[in-house]
Amino acid sequence: MSTVAVPSPVPTPSDDAESLKKALQGNASRWRADKGALIEILCRRTAAQRAAIRRAYVFLQREHLLNCFRDNLSRHCQLSVDFWKAMLLWTMDPAERDANLVHEALKRQKDENYILVLIEVSCASTPDHLMAVRSFYRDLFGCSVEEDVASSRALQEPLKKMLVSLVSSYRYAGEHVDMDVAKLEAAQLSEAVREKQLQGNEVARIISTRSKSQLTATFQCYKEEHGTDIVEDINSHCKGRFARMLKSAVWCLTSPEKHFAEVIRHSVLGLGTYEDMLTRVIVSRAEIDMKQIKEEYKATYKSSVIGDVAGDTSFSYRNMLLALVGSESEEPDDVPSPGAKTSCKCAIMHGV
């Protein structure tokens, strides 16, 4: 469920475009954009409304809004670079945004936190959205996602093979489930997990081809048969990068709120913030399932997303993220003051 609070009535795209131009001009004597106005306009609009604003901006101003953001990003110091990167990603078409995130991830794929982007986009998306991402990727970068993943020198087998299968998949999006298949494939997955043979072809085939409804049924059969969740068993029986990525794929396919709550927790825990991780989760999920992510986060970590984000970020970047995260049920006293941190950064994600 979306956490974007759209005003009523909504200004016309032309009015918003004019307001954005004024906000970008800001205080002419100091060359600073009015970031608060940018947040108030763009972070209170849906993807369709933002697309209409971009078109109106080009028509009225004879320049692209995203290029204006890139110009600001290129000339600002570290103090505001996170804000401009977040604003640029948020204002993009969602499929264009994910194509750019995937491309950036493939340049930094030695870091597991960036490999996760490939899994998130391929497994937590609808089949049609993934197709749109692949189309944007071809148009923007002159090659296919599959080609770039397959030709990567940093990725090793069997993870590379699974990632190629995931990014090239097109799953059935309906609700039909074959329970006989679910039981059979639950048994195949159980054997692979308990024999520590996750790299087999059957695991990759099941995870990369079955519909989300079918996989939900399969994982339910697994739990009924063994009394434990498949993710619990992966954690118990298997170690290494492939196992951690498989766990993320399972969650993104059937319980994405669990995965994204964990990513947010990892990005804000301790001293310092993994801004790229935090930005990508909030801007990519604000219109999809941020409400469920906040609920999962509170249930798992006994604290709130809004409180932890507020305590670990600052200035306009903080204000933008909080506008997208939306309100929480906690009283204001539960929100820590800006700059509050916990004592140490721990690598909690997937047991890293």
Side-chain angles (χ1 to χ4, degrees), residues 118-119 122-123 130 134 145-147 149-150 157-171 200-210 242 249 253:
L118 302 177
I119 292 175
S122 58
C123 296
L130 180 56
R134 297 209 295 257
V145 180
E146 303 94 311
E147 179 183 358
V149 175
E157 301 294 356
L159 179 59
K160 180 190 289 189
K161 182 177 181 179
M162 184 177 77
L163 290 173
V164 170
S165 297
L166 290 175
V167 300
S168 59
S169 67
Y170 186 81
R171 303 173 191 275
N201 291 334
E202 287 302 294
V203 174
R205 177 189 64 79
I206 293 167
I207 295 299
S208 62
T209 63
R210 294 304 186 193
F242 187 88
L253 285 163

PDB file of all heavy atoms in Angstrom, residues 118-119 122-123 130 134 145-147 149-150 157-171 200-210 242 249 253:
ATOM      1  N   LEU A 118      19.530  -6.654  -8.214  1.00  0.00           N
ATOM      2  CA  LEU A 118      19.089  -7.543  -9.295  1.00  0.00           C
ATOM      3  C   LEU A 118      17.965  -8.451  -8.812  1.00  0.00           C
ATOM      4  O   LEU A 118      16.993  -8.706  -9.541  1.00  0.00           O
ATOM      5  CB  LEU A 118      20.257  -8.385  -9.799  1.00  0.00           C
ATOM      6  CG  LEU A 118      21.487  -7.639 -10.318  1.00  0.00           C
ATOM      7  CD1 LEU A 118      22.578  -8.613 -10.698  1.00  0.00           C
ATOM      8  CD2 LEU A 118      21.121  -6.759 -11.492  1.00  0.00           C
ATOM      9  N   ILE A 119      18.096  -8.950  -7.596  1.00  0.00           N
ATOM     10  CA  ILE A 119      17.066  -9.828  -7.039  1.00  0.00           C
ATOM     11  C   ILE A 119      15.794  -9.055  -6.749  1.00  0.00           C
ATOM     12  O   ILE A 119      14.684  -9.520  -7.047  1.00  0.00           O
ATOM     13  CB  ILE A 119      17.610 -10.528  -5.778  1.00  0.00           C
ATOM     14  CG1 ILE A 119      18.720 -11.511  -6.186  1.00  0.00           C
ATOM     15  CG2 ILE A 119      16.484 -11.249  -5.023  1.00  0.00           C
ATOM     16  CD1 ILE A 119      19.413 -12.166  -5.028  1.00  0.00           C
ATOM     17  N   SER A 122      13.992  -8.183 -10.094  1.00  0.00           N
ATOM     18  CA  SER A 122      13.464  -9.333 -10.825  1.00  0.00           C
ATOM     19  C   SER A 122      12.425 -10.122 -10.042  1.00  0.00           C
ATOM     20  O   SER A 122      11.530 -10.724 -10.646  1.00  0.00           O
ATOM     21  CB  SER A 122      14.609 -10.268 -11.234  1.00  0.00           C
ATOM     22  OG  SER A 122      15.337 -10.713 -10.104  1.00  0.00           O
ATOM     23  N   CYS A 123      12.493 -10.092  -8.709  1.00  0.00           N
ATOM     24  CA  CYS A 123      11.604 -10.937  -7.913  1.00  0.00           C
ATOM     25  C   CYS A 123      10.479 -10.176  -7.211  1.00  0.00           C
ATOM     26  O   CYS A 123       9.399 -10.738  -6.992  1.00  0.00           O
ATOM     27  CB  CYS A 123      12.407 -11.707  -6.864  1.00  0.00           C
ATOM     28  SG  CYS A 123      13.602 -12.863  -7.559  1.00  0.00           S
ATOM     29  N   LEU A 130       8.890  -5.850 -14.821  1.00  0.00           N
ATOM     30  CA  LEU A 130      10.214  -6.354 -15.165  1.00  0.00           C
ATOM     31  C   LEU A 130      10.454  -6.245 -16.673  1.00  0.00           C
ATOM     32  O   LEU A 130      11.560  -5.895 -17.112  1.00  0.00           O
ATOM     33  CB  LEU A 130      10.373  -7.800 -14.699  1.00  0.00           C
ATOM     34  CG  LEU A 130      11.720  -8.462 -14.998  1.00  0.00           C
ATOM     35  CD1 LEU A 130      12.886  -7.649 -14.427  1.00  0.00           C
ATOM     36  CD2 LEU A 130      11.743  -9.895 -14.448  1.00  0.00           C
ATOM     37  N   ARG A 134      13.479  -4.071 -18.502  1.00  0.00           N
ATOM     38  CA  ARG A 134      14.378  -4.597 -19.522  1.00  0.00           C
ATOM     39  C   ARG A 134      14.348  -3.734 -20.784  1.00  0.00           C
ATOM     40  O   ARG A 134      15.373  -3.517 -21.430  1.00  0.00           O
ATOM     41  CB  ARG A 134      14.020  -6.050 -19.839  1.00  0.00           C
ATOM     42  CG  ARG A 134      14.187  -6.987 -18.643  1.00  0.00           C
ATOM     43  CD  ARG A 134      14.532  -8.399 -19.054  1.00  0.00           C
ATOM     44  NE  ARG A 134      13.471  -9.043 -19.799  1.00  0.00           N
ATOM     45  CZ  ARG A 134      12.634  -9.961 -19.281  1.00  0.00           C
ATOM     46  NH1 ARG A 134      12.726 -10.297 -18.002  1.00  0.00           N
ATOM     47  NH2 ARG A 134      11.719 -10.531 -20.025  1.00  0.00           N
ATOM     48  N   VAL A 145      19.813  -6.575 -20.077  1.00  0.00           N
ATOM     49  CA  VAL A 145      20.209  -6.907 -18.704  1.00  0.00           C
ATOM     50  C   VAL A 145      20.824  -8.304 -18.666  1.00  0.00           C
ATOM     51  O   VAL A 145      21.877  -8.523 -18.046  1.00  0.00           O
ATOM     52  CB  VAL A 145      18.995  -6.853 -17.754  1.00  0.00           C
ATOM     53  CG1 VAL A 145      19.426  -7.212 -16.336  1.00  0.00           C
ATOM     54  CG2 VAL A 145      18.354  -5.480 -17.769  1.00  0.00           C
ATOM     55  N   GLU A 146      20.163  -9.243 -19.351  1.00  0.00           N
ATOM     56  CA  GLU A 146      20.642 -10.618 -19.350  1.00  0.00           C
ATOM     57  C   GLU A 146      22.075 -10.719 -19.866  1.00  0.00           C
ATOM     58  O   GLU A 146      22.915 -11.444 -19.332  1.00  0.00           O
ATOM     59  CB  GLU A 146      19.727 -11.508 -20.209  1.00  0.00           C
ATOM     60  CG  GLU A 146      18.267 -11.491 -19.782  1.00  0.00           C
ATOM     61  CD  GLU A 146      17.432 -10.476 -20.550  1.00  0.00           C
ATOM     62  OE1 GLU A 146      17.859  -9.308 -20.666  1.00  0.00           O
ATOM     63  OE2 GLU A 146      16.352 -10.865 -21.035  1.00  0.00           O
ATOM     64  N   GLU A 147      22.335  -9.964 -20.944  1.00  0.00           N
ATOM     65  CA  GLU A 147      23.667  -9.964 -21.539  1.00  0.00           C
ATOM     66  C   GLU A 147      24.713  -9.454 -20.559  1.00  0.00           C
ATOM     67  O   GLU A 147      25.798 -10.049 -20.412  1.00  0.00           O
ATOM     68  CB  GLU A 147      23.648  -9.089 -22.791  1.00  0.00           C
ATOM     69  CG  GLU A 147      24.970  -8.963 -23.513  1.00  0.00           C
ATOM     70  CD  GLU A 147      24.889  -8.013 -24.698  1.00  0.00           C
ATOM     71  OE1 GLU A 147      23.789  -7.483 -24.975  1.00  0.00           O
ATOM     72  OE2 GLU A 147      25.931  -7.789 -25.333  1.00  0.00           O
ATOM     73  N   VAL A 149      24.528  -9.327 -17.240  1.00  0.00           N
ATOM     74  CA  VAL A 149      24.706 -10.243 -16.110  1.00  0.00           C
ATOM     75  C   VAL A 149      25.524 -11.455 -16.544  1.00  0.00           C
ATOM     76  O   VAL A 149      26.465 -11.867 -15.850  1.00  0.00           O
ATOM     77  CB  VAL A 149      23.339 -10.694 -15.550  1.00  0.00           C
ATOM     78  CG1 VAL A 149      23.535 -11.752 -14.459  1.00  0.00           C
ATOM     79  CG2 VAL A 149      22.566  -9.510 -14.989  1.00  0.00           C
ATOM     80  N   ALA A 150      25.194 -12.021 -17.703  1.00  0.00           N
ATOM     81  CA  ALA A 150      25.881 -13.223 -18.177  1.00  0.00           C
ATOM     82  C   ALA A 150      27.359 -12.967 -18.470  1.00  0.00           C
ATOM     83  O   ALA A 150      28.195 -13.870 -18.319  1.00  0.00           O
ATOM     84  CB  ALA A 150      25.190 -13.757 -19.427  1.00  0.00           C
ATOM     85  N   GLU A 157      29.614 -18.565 -10.962  1.00  0.00           N
ATOM     86  CA  GLU A 157      28.603 -19.629 -10.937  1.00  0.00           C
ATOM     87  C   GLU A 157      28.582 -20.255  -9.545  1.00  0.00           C
ATOM     88  O   GLU A 157      29.609 -20.292  -8.871  1.00  0.00           O
ATOM     89  CB  GLU A 157      28.928 -20.703 -11.988  1.00  0.00           C
ATOM     90  CG  GLU A 157      29.001 -20.186 -13.407  1.00  0.00           C
ATOM     91  CD  GLU A 157      27.662 -19.685 -13.955  1.00  0.00           C
ATOM     92  OE1 GLU A 157      26.645 -19.805 -13.245  1.00  0.00           O
ATOM     93  OE2 GLU A 157      27.647 -19.170 -15.072  1.00  0.00           O
ATOM     94  N   PRO A 158      27.420 -20.733  -9.085  1.00  0.00           N
ATOM     95  CA  PRO A 158      26.131 -20.815  -9.782  1.00  0.00           C
ATOM     96  C   PRO A 158      25.255 -19.562  -9.632  1.00  0.00           C
ATOM     97  O   PRO A 158      24.176 -19.505 -10.173  1.00  0.00           O
ATOM     98  CB  PRO A 158      25.464 -22.005  -9.098  1.00  0.00           C
ATOM     99  CG  PRO A 158      25.945 -21.892  -7.678  1.00  0.00           C
ATOM    100  CD  PRO A 158      27.373 -21.389  -7.756  1.00  0.00           C
ATOM    101  N   LEU A 159      25.750 -18.559  -8.873  1.00  0.00           N
ATOM    102  CA  LEU A 159      24.938 -17.363  -8.659  1.00  0.00           C
ATOM    103  C   LEU A 159      24.643 -16.660  -9.972  1.00  0.00           C
ATOM    104  O   LEU A 159      23.520 -16.199 -10.194  1.00  0.00           O
ATOM    105  CB  LEU A 159      25.661 -16.406  -7.699  1.00  0.00           C
ATOM    106  CG  LEU A 159      24.947 -15.086  -7.399  1.00  0.00           C
ATOM    107  CD1 LEU A 159      23.579 -15.336  -6.774  1.00  0.00           C
ATOM    108  CD2 LEU A 159      25.804 -14.204  -6.493  1.00  0.00           C
ATOM    109  N   LYS A 160      25.627 -16.574 -10.860  1.00  0.00           N
ATOM    110  CA  LYS A 160      25.411 -15.897 -12.138  1.00  0.00           C
ATOM    111  C   LYS A 160      24.274 -16.554 -12.920  1.00  0.00           C
ATOM    112  O   LYS A 160      23.400 -15.876 -13.468  1.00  0.00           O
ATOM    113  CB  LYS A 160      26.689 -15.920 -12.976  1.00  0.00           C
ATOM    114  CG  LYS A 160      26.529 -15.232 -14.326  1.00  0.00           C
ATOM    115  CD  LYS A 160      27.715 -15.467 -15.235  1.00  0.00           C
ATOM    116  CE  LYS A 160      28.941 -14.725 -14.759  1.00  0.00           C
ATOM    117  NZ  LYS A 160      30.050 -14.795 -15.769  1.00  0.00           N
ATOM    118  N   LYS A 161      24.264 -17.886 -12.952  1.00  0.00           N
ATOM    119  CA  LYS A 161      23.220 -18.597 -13.684  1.00  0.00           C
ATOM    120  C   LYS A 161      21.843 -18.302 -13.115  1.00  0.00           C
ATOM    121  O   LYS A 161      20.872 -18.086 -13.860  1.00  0.00           O
ATOM    122  CB  LYS A 161      23.497 -20.105 -13.649  1.00  0.00           C
ATOM    123  CG  LYS A 161      22.485 -20.931 -14.434  1.00  0.00           C
ATOM    124  CD  LYS A 161      22.864 -22.409 -14.420  1.00  0.00           C
ATOM    125  CE  LYS A 161      21.870 -23.231 -15.228  1.00  0.00           C
ATOM    126  NZ  LYS A 161      22.246 -24.681 -15.227  1.00  0.00           N
ATOM    127  N   MET A 162      21.730 -18.288 -11.786  1.00  0.00           N
ATOM    128  CA  MET A 162      20.436 -17.992 -11.179  1.00  0.00           C
ATOM    129  C   MET A 162      19.996 -16.564 -11.479  1.00  0.00           C
ATOM    130  O   MET A 162      18.830 -16.306 -11.777  1.00  0.00           O
ATOM    131  CB  MET A 162      20.482 -18.209  -9.668  1.00  0.00           C
ATOM    132  CG  MET A 162      19.115 -18.006  -9.008  1.00  0.00           C
ATOM    133  SD  MET A 162      19.068 -18.342  -7.227  1.00  0.00           S
ATOM    134  CE  MET A 162      19.852 -16.860  -6.582  1.00  0.00           C
ATOM    135  N   LEU A 163      20.923 -15.605 -11.419  1.00  0.00           N
ATOM    136  CA  LEU A 163      20.579 -14.209 -11.679  1.00  0.00           C
ATOM    137  C   LEU A 163      20.148 -14.006 -13.123  1.00  0.00           C
ATOM    138  O   LEU A 163      19.203 -13.259 -13.399  1.00  0.00           O
ATOM    139  CB  LEU A 163      21.761 -13.302 -11.345  1.00  0.00           C
ATOM    140  CG  LEU A 163      22.092 -13.163  -9.862  1.00  0.00           C
ATOM    141  CD1 LEU A 163      23.383 -12.366  -9.675  1.00  0.00           C
ATOM    142  CD2 LEU A 163      20.949 -12.507  -9.094  1.00  0.00           C
ATOM    143  N   VAL A 164      20.815 -14.666 -14.057  1.00  0.00           N
ATOM    144  CA  VAL A 164      20.394 -14.584 -15.466  1.00  0.00           C
ATOM    145  C   VAL A 164      18.975 -15.115 -15.617  1.00  0.00           C
ATOM    146  O   VAL A 164      18.139 -14.515 -16.306  1.00  0.00           O
ATOM    147  CB  VAL A 164      21.369 -15.352 -16.380  1.00  0.00           C
ATOM    148  CG1 VAL A 164      20.793 -15.460 -17.798  1.00  0.00           C
ATOM    149  CG2 VAL A 164      22.719 -14.668 -16.424  1.00  0.00           C
ATOM    150  N   SER A 165      18.689 -16.227 -14.962  1.00  0.00           N
ATOM    151  CA  SER A 165      17.339 -16.804 -15.027  1.00  0.00           C
ATOM    152  C   SER A 165      16.307 -15.865 -14.419  1.00  0.00           C
ATOM    153  O   SER A 165      15.208 -15.707 -14.951  1.00  0.00           O
ATOM    154  CB  SER A 165      17.297 -18.150 -14.300  1.00  0.00           C
ATOM    155  OG  SER A 165      18.135 -19.088 -14.926  1.00  0.00           O
ATOM    156  N   LEU A 166      16.649 -15.213 -13.320  1.00  0.00           N
ATOM    157  CA  LEU A 166      15.706 -14.320 -12.649  1.00  0.00           C
ATOM    158  C   LEU A 166      15.422 -13.067 -13.473  1.00  0.00           C
ATOM    159  O   LEU A 166      14.262 -12.680 -13.646  1.00  0.00           O
ATOM    160  CB  LEU A 166      16.237 -13.934 -11.272  1.00  0.00           C
ATOM    161  CG  LEU A 166      16.259 -15.037 -10.214  1.00  0.00           C
ATOM    162  CD1 LEU A 166      16.933 -14.540  -8.935  1.00  0.00           C
ATOM    163  CD2 LEU A 166      14.852 -15.530  -9.901  1.00  0.00           C
ATOM    164  N   VAL A 167      16.461 -12.419 -13.992  1.00  0.00           N
ATOM    165  CA  VAL A 167      16.231 -11.168 -14.719  1.00  0.00           C
ATOM    166  C   VAL A 167      15.583 -11.403 -16.072  1.00  0.00           C
ATOM    167  O   VAL A 167      14.986 -10.480 -16.645  1.00  0.00           O
ATOM    168  CB  VAL A 167      17.540 -10.360 -14.900  1.00  0.00           C
ATOM    169  CG1 VAL A 167      18.137 -10.003 -13.554  1.00  0.00           C
ATOM    170  CG2 VAL A 167      18.548 -11.093 -15.769  1.00  0.00           C
ATOM    171  N   SER A 168      15.654 -12.622 -16.607  1.00  0.00           N
ATOM    172  CA  SER A 168      15.042 -12.907 -17.908  1.00  0.00           C
ATOM    173  C   SER A 168      13.683 -13.597 -17.787  1.00  0.00           C
ATOM    174  O   SER A 168      13.082 -13.966 -18.787  1.00  0.00           O
ATOM    175  CB  SER A 168      15.977 -13.775 -18.754  1.00  0.00           C
ATOM    176  OG  SER A 168      16.267 -14.995 -18.094  1.00  0.00           O
ATOM    177  N   SER A 169      13.180 -13.742 -16.586  1.00  0.00           N
ATOM    178  CA  SER A 169      11.926 -14.478 -16.376  1.00  0.00           C
ATOM    179  C   SER A 169      10.707 -13.658 -16.783  1.00  0.00           C
ATOM    180  O   SER A 169      10.758 -12.427 -16.848  1.00  0.00           O
ATOM    181  CB  SER A 169      11.793 -14.871 -14.902  1.00  0.00           C
ATOM    182  OG  SER A 169      11.628 -13.716 -14.099  1.00  0.00           O
ATOM    183  N   TYR A 170       9.642 -14.369 -17.092  1.00  0.00           N
ATOM    184  CA  TYR A 170       8.324 -13.733 -17.255  1.00  0.00           C
ATOM    185  C   TYR A 170       7.315 -14.705 -16.661  1.00  0.00           C
ATOM    186  O   TYR A 170       6.948 -15.706 -17.285  1.00  0.00           O
ATOM    187  CB  TYR A 170       7.985 -13.416 -18.704  1.00  0.00           C
ATOM    188  CG  TYR A 170       6.690 -12.630 -18.794  1.00  0.00           C
ATOM    189  CD1 TYR A 170       6.689 -11.255 -18.578  1.00  0.00           C
ATOM    190  CD2 TYR A 170       5.475 -13.255 -19.035  1.00  0.00           C
ATOM    191  CE1 TYR A 170       5.514 -10.522 -18.615  1.00  0.00           C
ATOM    192  CE2 TYR A 170       4.293 -12.536 -19.071  1.00  0.00           C
ATOM    193  CZ  TYR A 170       4.317 -11.174 -18.872  1.00  0.00           C
ATOM    194  OH  TYR A 170       3.145 -10.450 -18.892  1.00  0.00           O
ATOM    195  N   ARG A 171       6.901 -14.435 -15.446  1.00  0.00           N
ATOM    196  CA  ARG A 171       6.073 -15.367 -14.693  1.00  0.00           C
ATOM    197  C   ARG A 171       4.593 -15.184 -14.998  1.00  0.00           C
ATOM    198  O   ARG A 171       4.138 -14.082 -15.292  1.00  0.00           O
ATOM    199  CB  ARG A 171       6.281 -15.151 -13.185  1.00  0.00           C
ATOM    200  CG  ARG A 171       7.703 -15.290 -12.718  1.00  0.00           C
ATOM    201  CD  ARG A 171       7.843 -14.898 -11.253  1.00  0.00           C
ATOM    202  NE  ARG A 171       9.234 -14.773 -10.867  1.00  0.00           N
ATOM    203  CZ  ARG A 171       9.999 -15.783 -10.466  1.00  0.00           C
ATOM    204  NH1 ARG A 171       9.472 -16.984 -10.365  1.00  0.00           N
ATOM    205  NH2 ARG A 171      11.262 -15.587 -10.144  1.00  0.00           N
ATOM    206  N   GLY A 200      21.878 -26.792  -7.544  1.00  0.00           N
ATOM    207  CA  GLY A 200      21.330 -27.656  -8.581  1.00  0.00           C
ATOM    208  C   GLY A 200      20.371 -26.937  -9.514  1.00  0.00           C
ATOM    209  O   GLY A 200      19.784 -25.903  -9.175  1.00  0.00           O
ATOM    210  N   ASN A 201      20.193 -27.507 -10.703  1.00  0.00           N
ATOM    211  CA  ASN A 201      19.342 -26.884 -11.717  1.00  0.00           C
ATOM    212  C   ASN A 201      17.894 -26.762 -11.275  1.00  0.00           C
ATOM    213  O   ASN A 201      17.198 -25.813 -11.654  1.00  0.00           O
ATOM    214  CB  ASN A 201      19.403 -27.683 -13.026  1.00  0.00           C
ATOM    215  CG  ASN A 201      20.755 -27.568 -13.702  1.00  0.00           C
ATOM    216  OD1 ASN A 201      21.463 -26.581 -13.514  1.00  0.00           O
ATOM    217  ND2 ASN A 201      21.114 -28.575 -14.480  1.00  0.00           N
ATOM    218  N   GLU A 202      17.400 -27.718 -10.474  1.00  0.00           N
ATOM    219  CA  GLU A 202      15.997 -27.707 -10.086  1.00  0.00           C
ATOM    220  C   GLU A 202      15.664 -26.506  -9.207  1.00  0.00           C
ATOM    221  O   GLU A 202      14.590 -25.922  -9.330  1.00  0.00           O
ATOM    222  CB  GLU A 202      15.626 -29.014  -9.367  1.00  0.00           C
ATOM    223  CG  GLU A 202      15.523 -30.215 -10.288  1.00  0.00           C
ATOM    224  CD  GLU A 202      14.499 -29.989 -11.396  1.00  0.00           C
ATOM    225  OE1 GLU A 202      13.298 -29.883 -11.099  1.00  0.00           O
ATOM    226  OE2 GLU A 202      14.921 -29.885 -12.566  1.00  0.00           O
ATOM    227  N   VAL A 203      16.566 -26.144  -8.321  1.00  0.00           N
ATOM    228  CA  VAL A 203      16.309 -24.987  -7.456  1.00  0.00           C
ATOM    229  C   VAL A 203      16.171 -23.722  -8.300  1.00  0.00           C
ATOM    230  O   VAL A 203      15.227 -22.947  -8.146  1.00  0.00           O
ATOM    231  CB  VAL A 203      17.425 -24.818  -6.416  1.00  0.00           C
ATOM    232  CG1 VAL A 203      17.233 -23.523  -5.623  1.00  0.00           C
ATOM    233  CG2 VAL A 203      17.452 -26.014  -5.466  1.00  0.00           C
ATOM    234  N   ALA A 204      17.118 -23.502  -9.211  1.00  0.00           N
ATOM    235  CA  ALA A 204      17.070 -22.317 -10.070  1.00  0.00           C
ATOM    236  C   ALA A 204      15.820 -22.323 -10.940  1.00  0.00           C
ATOM    237  O   ALA A 204      15.175 -21.277 -11.144  1.00  0.00           O
ATOM    238  CB  ALA A 204      18.322 -22.238 -10.930  1.00  0.00           C
ATOM    239  N   ARG A 205      15.465 -23.497 -11.450  1.00  0.00           N
ATOM    240  CA  ARG A 205      14.270 -23.594 -12.312  1.00  0.00           C
ATOM    241  C   ARG A 205      13.015 -23.213 -11.539  1.00  0.00           C
ATOM    242  O   ARG A 205      12.184 -22.426 -12.022  1.00  0.00           O
ATOM    243  CB  ARG A 205      14.122 -25.013 -12.875  1.00  0.00           C
ATOM    244  CG  ARG A 205      12.861 -25.216 -13.713  1.00  0.00           C
ATOM    245  CD  ARG A 205      12.650 -26.670 -14.068  1.00  0.00           C
ATOM    246  NE  ARG A 205      12.423 -27.506 -12.893  1.00  0.00           N
ATOM    247  CZ  ARG A 205      11.254 -27.590 -12.255  1.00  0.00           C
ATOM    248  NH1 ARG A 205      10.218 -26.851 -12.635  1.00  0.00           N
ATOM    249  NH2 ARG A 205      11.124 -28.383 -11.214  1.00  0.00           N
ATOM    250  N   ILE A 206      12.859 -23.755 -10.349  1.00  0.00           N
ATOM    251  CA  ILE A 206      11.655 -23.488  -9.553  1.00  0.00           C
ATOM    252  C   ILE A 206      11.574 -22.011  -9.184  1.00  0.00           C
ATOM    253  O   ILE A 206      10.536 -21.363  -9.356  1.00  0.00           O
ATOM    254  CB  ILE A 206      11.652 -24.369  -8.291  1.00  0.00           C
ATOM    255  CG1 ILE A 206      11.499 -25.841  -8.672  1.00  0.00           C
ATOM    256  CG2 ILE A 206      10.527 -23.946  -7.337  1.00  0.00           C
ATOM    257  CD1 ILE A 206      11.787 -26.810  -7.530  1.00  0.00           C
ATOM    258  N   ILE A 207      12.665 -21.459  -8.690  1.00  0.00           N
ATOM    259  CA  ILE A 207      12.657 -20.083  -8.212  1.00  0.00           C
ATOM    260  C   ILE A 207      12.474 -19.087  -9.355  1.00  0.00           C
ATOM    261  O   ILE A 207      11.838 -18.035  -9.182  1.00  0.00           O
ATOM    262  CB  ILE A 207      13.966 -19.772  -7.447  1.00  0.00           C
ATOM    263  CG1 ILE A 207      14.055 -20.630  -6.176  1.00  0.00           C
ATOM    264  CG2 ILE A 207      14.063 -18.298  -7.092  1.00  0.00           C
ATOM    265  CD1 ILE A 207      12.929 -20.390  -5.189  1.00  0.00           C
ATOM    266  N   SER A 208      12.974 -19.394 -10.531  1.00  0.00           N
ATOM    267  CA  SER A 208      12.971 -18.415 -11.618  1.00  0.00           C
ATOM    268  C   SER A 208      11.792 -18.549 -12.577  1.00  0.00           C
ATOM    269  O   SER A 208      11.564 -17.637 -13.382  1.00  0.00           O
ATOM    270  CB  SER A 208      14.277 -18.502 -12.413  1.00  0.00           C
ATOM    271  OG  SER A 208      14.414 -19.769 -13.018  1.00  0.00           O
ATOM    272  N   THR A 209      11.038 -19.639 -12.498  1.00  0.00           N
ATOM    273  CA  THR A 209       9.953 -19.819 -13.480  1.00  0.00           C
ATOM    274  C   THR A 209       8.561 -19.865 -12.873  1.00  0.00           C
ATOM    275  O   THR A 209       7.599 -19.494 -13.549  1.00  0.00           O
ATOM    276  CB  THR A 209      10.165 -21.111 -14.297  1.00  0.00           C
ATOM    277  OG1 THR A 209      10.111 -22.249 -13.421  1.00  0.00           O
ATOM    278  CG2 THR A 209      11.502 -21.083 -15.020  1.00  0.00           C
ATOM    279  N   ARG A 210       8.419 -20.289 -11.657  1.00  0.00           N
ATOM    280  CA  ARG A 210       7.079 -20.462 -11.092  1.00  0.00           C
ATOM    281  C   ARG A 210       6.446 -19.115 -10.712  1.00  0.00           C
ATOM    282  O   ARG A 210       7.146 -18.186 -10.315  1.00  0.00           O
ATOM    283  CB  ARG A 210       7.118 -21.370  -9.864  1.00  0.00           C
ATOM    284  CG  ARG A 210       7.511 -22.802 -10.161  1.00  0.00           C
ATOM    285  CD  ARG A 210       6.606 -23.430 -11.186  1.00  0.00           C
ATOM    286  NE  ARG A 210       6.888 -24.859 -11.364  1.00  0.00           N
ATOM    287  CZ  ARG A 210       6.407 -25.593 -12.371  1.00  0.00           C
ATOM    288  NH1 ARG A 210       5.617 -25.021 -13.282  1.00  0.00           N
ATOM    289  NH2 ARG A 210       6.700 -26.866 -12.448  1.00  0.00           N
ATOM    290  N   PHE A 242      25.612 -17.642  -2.193  1.00  0.00           N
ATOM    291  CA  PHE A 242      24.474 -18.171  -2.937  1.00  0.00           C
ATOM    292  C   PHE A 242      23.282 -18.392  -2.022  1.00  0.00           C
ATOM    293  O   PHE A 242      22.144 -18.056  -2.365  1.00  0.00           O
ATOM    294  CB  PHE A 242      24.846 -19.477  -3.636  1.00  0.00           C
ATOM    295  CG  PHE A 242      23.765 -19.990  -4.558  1.00  0.00           C
ATOM    296  CD1 PHE A 242      23.723 -19.581  -5.879  1.00  0.00           C
ATOM    297  CD2 PHE A 242      22.791 -20.867  -4.099  1.00  0.00           C
ATOM    298  CE1 PHE A 242      22.719 -20.034  -6.734  1.00  0.00           C
ATOM    299  CE2 PHE A 242      21.792 -21.333  -4.943  1.00  0.00           C
ATOM    300  CZ  PHE A 242      21.759 -20.917  -6.264  1.00  0.00           C
ATOM    301  N   ALA A 249      15.784 -13.934  -2.594  1.00  0.00           N
ATOM    302  CA  ALA A 249      14.860 -14.204  -3.698  1.00  0.00           C
ATOM    303  C   ALA A 249      13.545 -14.783  -3.191  1.00  0.00           C
ATOM    304  O   ALA A 249      12.460 -14.383  -3.629  1.00  0.00           O
ATOM    305  CB  ALA A 249      15.510 -15.150  -4.708  1.00  0.00           C
ATOM    306  N   LEU A 253       9.970 -12.786  -3.568  1.00  0.00           N
ATOM    307  CA  LEU A 253       8.907 -13.412  -4.355  1.00  0.00           C
ATOM    308  C   LEU A 253       7.608 -13.560  -3.575  1.00  0.00           C
ATOM    309  O   LEU A 253       6.522 -13.429  -4.143  1.00  0.00           O
ATOM    310  CB  LEU A 253       9.376 -14.782  -4.854  1.00  0.00           C
ATOM    311  CG  LEU A 253      10.370 -14.759  -6.008  1.00  0.00           C
ATOM    312  CD1 LEU A 253      11.075 -16.103  -6.138  1.00  0.00           C
ATOM    313  CD2 LEU A 253       9.675 -14.382  -7.317  1.00  0.00           C
TER     314      LEU A 253
END
